[in-house]
Amino acid sequence: MTARLFCCLAALITLVSCSGGAPVAEPPKRGAGTPAYGDALVVGTIGEPSNLIPLLASDSASHDVAGNVFNGLVKYDKNLVLVGDLAESWRVSPDGLTITFTLRKGVKWHDGVELTSRDVLYTYRVTIDPKTPTAYAEDFKQVKTAEAPDRYTFRVTYGKPFAPALASWGMGILPAHLLEGKDITKSELSRHPVGTGPYRFKEWVAGQKLVLESFPDYFEGRPYIDRYIYRIIPDNSTIYMELKAGGLDMMGLTPVQYARQTDTPEFRAGFNKFRYPASAYTYLGYNLRNPLFADRRVRQAIACAISKDEIIHGVLLGLGQVAHGPFQPGTWPYNPNVRDLGYDPLRAKELLAAAGWRATGPGGILMKDGKAFSFTILTNQGNDQRLKTAQIIQRRLAKIGIDVKIRVLEWASLLTNFIDKRNFDALIMGWTIPQDPDIFDVWHSSKTGPKELNFIGFRNAEVDRLIEEGRRTFDQEKRKRCYWRIQEILAQEQPYTFLFVPDALPVVNARFRGIEPAPAGIMHNIIRWYVPKEEQIH
Amino acid sequence: MINYLAKRLIMMIPLLLGITLISFAVIRLAPGEPVEAMTAMSPKITAETRQRLREFYGLDKPLHVQYATWLKQVATLDFGRSFAPDNRPVTDKIKERIPVTISLNVIALILEFGLAIPIGIFTATHRDTLYDKGMTLFVFLGFAVPTFWLALLLMYFFGVKLGWLPISGLHSLGSETLSPLARFADMVKHLVLPVSVATFGSLAGLSRYMRSNMLEVIRQDYITTARAKGLTERTVIYRHALRNALLPVITLLGFSLPGLIGGSVIFETIFAIPGMGQLFYQGVMGRDYPLVMGILVIGAFLTLVGNLIADLCYAVADPRIRHGRG
């Protein structure tokens, strides 16, 4: 379910946008061999893509495919630094209001037509068009004017400086010559996309497979791997069986698969395993409107009573790390000096006593003003890790006299009947961490309205000010100061108890060479992956 | 007979309408709506965008208007466009999936009946022998073992360990370059595991039904008479008893008709078979109303037709039914 949260380009958590921390890879099984063109990379996708025009899709399967077919103006490189993609360079005006992109020359669409600033202007216009059913218009609506003064220059002016704006131009640019003047919702391109990316669309057999082939005129050079095949397999166990039987070349393993089921000599000989922190975290969030959690000491006490290490060990088999805040460990917005209160049940009891809770109830349950300390943790169905986490927390809190009940709900029901109506005590959920650290939508006090994402109702004037400051400057040092301070405040306030950042655990058939694990994961240099001629099987 | 058929066909119209109305109400009662499934928990969505999407799908109109619009469309056999981001016509999506589900289920059904009937007859005629007990154990094993578990076990054994059979999907990669015969053989190979699992799972019910029918029939007086006449046991069973024991099974065959297009979610998901079960499940999870309604209407129609065919078969076999006596 995590992939549906923050369902934007950054949602491809398992394989694509993983970042931060030092990636771990087992030593390669075979020699480097000689790079050669050919072969195919076969991957499994749980969900069938829905629409290959990235603007119209909101699911990760579609974005995964579209990511290989389309390019944005900018992209994150292997070290998660924003670099030019279709844009050769860009310039931000001193007042931070205007961004001028200079496009690469000679970039070809898959049908041979040259990419120009007209395509970028069209993409911008169709995105903000009220008739386009897209989830990605918001960032672009901040643009006051957009213009294409010449074939290779594109300029946008914002009303106020807006730091996340630059990353928003990473969205796939669409071909104006094929779409202009037509209804994009009924376009053929949604099933037969034409982009500028390293792979071009070949065929899509509904419910079965989607095939991309390498684009020989790709501006960064022709990819070594000739075909990129997505097989639609809706069950994770089947994907794993297919991987073992040789039907798939790559997948993201679960902790149990990584730690226990793949630790055999045959598997080790045939596959390379990788491990690095995923761009996601799991948290226990409190409904701050509930008087039970109004006192900061109570939230701190709960945090002290939970052993995060125990959860990581029990739920992730040790394949993850403790989360201390909403940023990715190892990235620039993450403040490594912030440590939360740590596992300390004695301190928890002291804090609760200070808040007026006494163990006078039946079975030692905490009581205050005649009321027992009892609450329900909600989580969504289908996520075993979250349920197990809730159970561990339940047991730990029982030890300090807090009675916890657990309710697992179907996603839509959880959302509509509980989160939207603010009808919950506490939740175990997860967020994907976007590459840009702007956390306005989840933490700003103006976002506590109906259906908005600050559903726990967190309000803190200093955090509000820092979030606003952080998004109004392009100066990374200034932004860093804001986010480091926000992390300190959140650790003190404990509106969420941040639990863990899981590891991404991709595994790739050992015949593929040229994989370079980096903070951005392993997919950043996909066009440089190759299979030596003598090992090619497709 | 014609009168009977006409009456039954006319009766189907209000029944179908009722079914669509109930289905429409039930799917709308489920929490969440398509826009929700698409935009929930996305920081980039504002209330305005959400409203725009609702208008795009016509969800801003009152329910009765939405139902009337839908009904008008369906009257012209147009099931509308899917609410999924692909926005494709529902008919196209169903058309893509229906051949797979029908062929798979027809094969499974033939095997099921082809195996269950002889098993039923044999266990009835060899009642309380070792054969009867062994067979009962075997068919009940198929009934008791969860489909997904059996499927995974077979996949592991025949696919991963022995490497004899493909694990999932309908075709091997690159099978499009094969000759038509080789391509067919490839598909048959892919179907072995799913069809076996599907058949094994439903063998118990049908074979036990056949067994009890047979037992009931061979206890009847006319069978005793036949035996007393000195007919061979073979003639008694296959000429006299079987026909009557089979009659109730025809009803079951009629009921299997809607199942032919329904597909099974678990089974299609595990074997990655792009059938109707999967499509329906995706539709429900994404609150894709037009798709769900489209599948439900076709399913309801086939259920009614299945019942009608079963009744007609009965009417042919038993004149009391078609003349309204009983």
Side-chain angles (χ1 to χ4, degrees):
Chain A
M1 204 52 78
T2 319
R4 290 173 65 174
L5 314 180
F6 269 81
C7 50
C8 46
L9 289 166
L12 313 172
I13 53 158
T14 39
L15 292 173
V16 182
S17 59
C18 300
S19 61
V24 179
E26 293 185 345
K29 308 290 179 316
R30 304 173 192 174
T34 317
Y37 293 103
D39 214 333
L41 176 72
V42 188
V43 301
T45 166
I46 290 226
E48 176 158 19
S50 57
N51 191 319
L52 296 180
I53 297 178
L55 181 64
L56 300 180
S58 52
D59 56 307
S60 60
S62 300
H63 283 297
D64 200 1
V65 177
N68 283 312
V69 177
F70 291 94
N71 294 93
L73 290 183
V74 295
K75 66 173 179 186
Y76 284 97
D77 73 357
K78 64 176 185 178
N79 295 315
L80 296 172
V81 177
L82 213 51
V83 295
D85 193 7
L86 290 175
E88 197 174 64
S89 62
W90 67 84
R91 201 163 35 82
V92 180
S93 65
D95 58 6
L97 293 178
T98 304
I99 310 175
T100 309
F101 294 96
T102 305
L103 304 189
R104 283 174 196 262
K105 293 178 185 68
V107 173
K108 291 272 166 46
W109 289 100
H110 294 156
D111 59 2
V113 175
E114 196 193 4
L115 170 117
T116 66
S117 53
R118 175 187 159 212
D119 298 306
V120 188
L121 192 62
Y122 166 76
T123 306
Y124 160 73
R125 284 186 179 150
V126 75
T127 310
I128 57 158
D129 185 340
K131 288 200 286 297
T132 308
T134 178
Y136 306 108
E138 250 3 83
D139 284 347
F140 287 180
K141 277 196 195 149
Q142 310 248 5
V143 171
K144 261 176 72 185
T145 55
E147 52 191 336
D150 64 54
R151 271 176 82 78
Y152 303 107
T153 308
F154 177 72
R155 187 178 301 133
V156 270
T157 307
Y158 289 80
K160 284 185 215 162
F162 182 52
L166 199 51
S168 73
W169 290 101
M171 193 170 82
I173 300 299
L174 303 170
H177 67 283
L178 297 175
L179 286 164
E180 218 158 34
K182 294 181 185 152
D183 180 355
I184 192 167
T185 62
K186 299 198 170 73
S187 167
E188 264 291 288
L189 262 67
S190 61
R191 311 275 308 163
H192 302 90
V194 175
T196 51
Y199 285 90
R200 65 181 169 195
F201 177 82
K202 188 167 178 233
E203 69 166 327
W204 183 350
V205 185
Q208 296 184 49
K209 63 173 178 178
L210 196 152
V211 182
L212 305 178
E213 60 182 7
S214 65
F215 179 44
D217 293 333
Y218 186 53
F219 61 83
E220 285 185 346
R222 172 185 162 192
Y224 283 119
I225 306 292
D226 274 353
R227 284 178 305 149
Y228 197 131
I229 302 170
Y230 295 86
R231 286 188 55 195
I232 298 146
I233 302 176
D235 183 72
N236 195 42
S237 316
T238 312
I239 292 187
Y240 178 61
M241 296 266 194
E242 279 285 9
L243 181 89
K244 286 185 84 166
L248 295 176
D249 295 318
M250 184 169 83
M251 77 175 282
L253 297 177
T254 63
V256 174
Q257 286 167 341
Y258 185 94
R260 301 203 177 131
Q261 297 170 354
T262 54
D263 211 13
T264 59
E266 305 116 67
F267 195 90
R268 283 173 178 280
F271 294 93
N272 287 316
K273 289 205 268 186
F274 301 90
R275 177 182 164 195
Y276 42 81
S279 298
Y281 67 86
T282 296
Y283 63 87
L284 171 68
Y286 310 100
N287 187 350
L288 302 176
R289 299 167 191 87
N290 185 334
L292 203 56
F293 303 113
D295 190 330
R296 181 172 80 178
R297 288 170 299 186
V298 170
R299 303 191 301 264
Q300 288 176 337
I302 295 176
C304 284
I306 298 171
S307 166
K308 296 182 185 179
D309 288 323
E310 178 187 41
I311 294 174
I312 290 167
H313 184 75
V315 177
L316 302 175
L317 305 178
L319 298 164
Q321 56 184 303
V322 172
H324 294 293
F327 304 110
Q328 175 86 38
T331 57
W332 64 265
Y334 180 83
N335 183 348
N337 308 321
V338 171
R339 286 278 171 266
D340 46 20
L341 306 154
Y343 175 56
D344 188 349
L346 280 180
R347 174 103 193 270
K349 284 183 182 168
E350 283 166 20
L351 284 163
L352 286 166
W357 291 95
R358 303 274 176 271
T360 51
I365 197 164
L366 294 173
M367 304 285 288
K368 184 180 169 185
D369 304 332
K371 276 192 176 164
F373 200 148
S374 172
F375 70 95
T376 304
I377 295 178
L378 302 184
T379 193
N380 61 293
Q381 181 214 354
N383 191 319
D384 198 37
Q385 289 185 356
R386 289 183 194 164
L387 175 60
K388 284 182 183 152
T389 304
Q391 288 162 341
I392 293 173
I393 290 175
Q394 182 183 42
R395 193 168 55 86
R396 282 289 165 197
L397 293 190
K399 289 197 172 157
I400 59 162
I402 298 176
D403 171 47
V404 173
K405 294 180 185 66
I406 300 169
R407 249 184 109 178
V408 182
L409 291 147
E410 190 257 345
W411 179 245
S413 167
L414 173 66
L415 225 55
T416 318
N417 298 337
F418 297 91
I419 297 184
D420 285 353
K421 293 186 178 145
R422 312 305 191 222
N423 174 23
F424 63 91
D425 301 331
L427 301 158
I428 292 183
M429 300 267 280
W431 286 117
T432 299
I433 308 171
Q435 306 297 9
D436 189 274
D438 180 38
I439 50 172
F440 188 87
D441 297 284
V442 179
W443 294 103
H444 197 272
S445 61
S446 67
K447 289 288 175 180
T448 51
K451 289 186 187 283
E452 288 182 317
L453 298 185
N454 186 351
F455 41 75
I456 58 162
F458 177 69
R459 290 169 187 279
N460 182 302
E462 192 184 354
V463 170
D464 280 358
R465 188 179 53 75
L466 290 164
I467 289 176
E468 285 161 33
E469 209 178 305
R471 65 183 349 215
R472 295 281 168 241
T473 173
F474 286 85
D475 182 333
Q476 190 165 308
E477 268 314 303
K478 275 191 200 156
R479 293 189 84 191
K480 184 170 151 179
R481 280 200 293 276
C482 296
Y483 298 123
W484 280 36
R485 176 68 192 134
I486 289 174
Q487 203 180 313
E488 282 170 12
I489 299 170
L490 292 181
Q492 269 304 308
E493 290 292 322
Q494 290 288 319
Y496 284 178
T497 294
F498 296 94
L499 297 171
F500 58 80
V501 174
D503 281 340
L505 306 166
V507 59
V508 187
N509 192 301
R511 74 177 195 279
F512 291 91
R513 315 291 161 78
I515 302 173
E516 272 179 40
I522 57 169
M523 301 302 284
H524 60 90
N525 70 333
I526 180 78
I527 65 167
R528 295 282 155 252
W529 290 19
Y530 62 91
V531 178
K533 205 86 207 164
E534 60 281 8
E535 290 182 46
Q536 294 187 358
I537 58 168
H538 288 291
Chain B
M1 190 71 184
I2 305 255
N3 274 349
Y4 175 70
L5 187 67
K7 225 193 305 175
R8 288 290 307 260
L9 281 173
I10 291 169
M11 281 286 286
M12 268 168 73
I13 296 170
L15 212 55
L16 256 178
L17 265 178
I19 292 171
T20 61
L21 194 64
I22 293 169
S23 310
F24 191 85
V26 169
I27 179 101
R28 299 295 163 129
L29 280 176
E33 57 173 40
V35 172
E36 208 67 56
M38 244 178 278
T39 61
M41 293 286 165
S42 168
K44 301 297 172 204
I45 297 285
T46 57
E48 186 201 339
T49 315
R50 207 170 268 127
Q51 188 53 28
R52 219 166 72 189
L53 285 167
R54 295 189 81 235
E55 282 165 23
F56 180 79
Y57 292 117
L59 293 166
D60 54 330
K61 300 195 178 76
L63 269 185
H64 63 276
V65 178
Q66 287 184 44
Y67 179 67
T69 317
W70 178 83
L71 210 57
K72 248 188 260 167
Q73 257 182 348
V74 173
T76 61
L77 285 184
D78 173 11
F79 288 103
R81 281 179 175 268
S82 163
F83 282 179
D86 59 7
N87 200 26
R88 294 170 66 211
V90 167
T91 330
D92 283 5
K93 288 182 107 167
I94 294 177
K95 257 196 249 161
E96 245 164 37
R97 306 269 181 150
I98 240 176
V100 177
T101 304
I102 289 188
S103 16
L104 201 88
N105 282 307
V106 165
I107 300 171
L109 203 68
I110 292 172
L111 276 175
E112 238 170 70
F113 277 80
L115 288 172
I117 291 173
I119 291 176
I121 298 169
F122 256 77
T123 46
T125 51
H126 297 77
R127 201 177 160 203
D128 290 336
T129 60
L130 199 63
Y131 173 80
D132 179 26
K133 285 176 182 153
M135 229 15 174
T136 306
L137 185 75
F138 175 73
V139 294
F140 271 95
L141 215 64
F143 185 64
V145 166
T147 313
F148 73 93
W149 187 79
L150 180 69
L152 288 176
L153 209 70
L154 293 177
M155 277 175 171
Y156 181 72
F157 190 68
F158 291 106
V160 179
K161 274 279 150 199
L162 298 174
W164 289 353
L165 292 168
I167 290 172
S168 66
L170 281 177
H171 303 283
S172 301
L173 286 176
S175 67
E176 50 278 359
T177 58
L178 300 172
S179 67
L181 196 69
R183 194 169 152 74
F184 179 72
D186 177 64
M187 196 171 85
V188 169
K189 236 174 143 182
H190 277 81
L191 287 180
V192 172
L193 285 183
V195 167
S196 310
V197 172
T199 309
F200 190 44
S202 41
L203 217 50
L206 199 60
S207 65
R208 296 302 286 180
Y209 189 59
M210 186 64 212
R211 181 180 182 270
S212 64
N213 280 342
M214 198 65 189
L215 281 176
E216 204 175 299
V217 170
I218 53 180
R219 279 194 209 113
Q220 308 239 337
D221 290 344
Y222 74 93
I223 296 292
T224 318
T225 315
R227 283 199 179 120
K229 273 165 64 183
L231 295 178
T232 61
E233 188 61 17
R234 215 182 147 73
T235 318
V236 172
I237 298 296
Y238 292 101
R239 184 80 50 84
H240 295 276
L242 183 58
R243 202 177 289 173
N244 283 324
L246 269 179
L247 258 183
V249 177
I250 295 176
T251 325
L252 280 191
L253 203 61
F255 284 137
S256 313
L257 206 64
L260 288 186
I261 71 128
S264 150
V265 180
I266 300 176
F267 162 85
E268 288 176 3
T269 303
I270 292 178
F271 287 107
I273 292 169
M276 295 289 285
Q278 233 188 68
L279 188 68
F280 186 66
Y281 180 73
Q282 286 162 5
V284 171
M285 291 324 265
R287 305 288 188 268
D288 187 346
Y289 301 150
L291 182 69
V292 171
M293 288 301 290
I295 297 176
L296 284 177
V297 169
I298 295 178
F301 180 73
L302 282 180
T303 310
L304 296 179
V305 170
N307 282 347
L308 182 65
I309 293 177
D311 285 354
L312 286 180
C313 291
Y314 255 40
V316 169
D318 189 344
R320 285 173 301 176
I321 294 173
R322 62 175 179 266
H323 295 305
R325 280 180 270 128

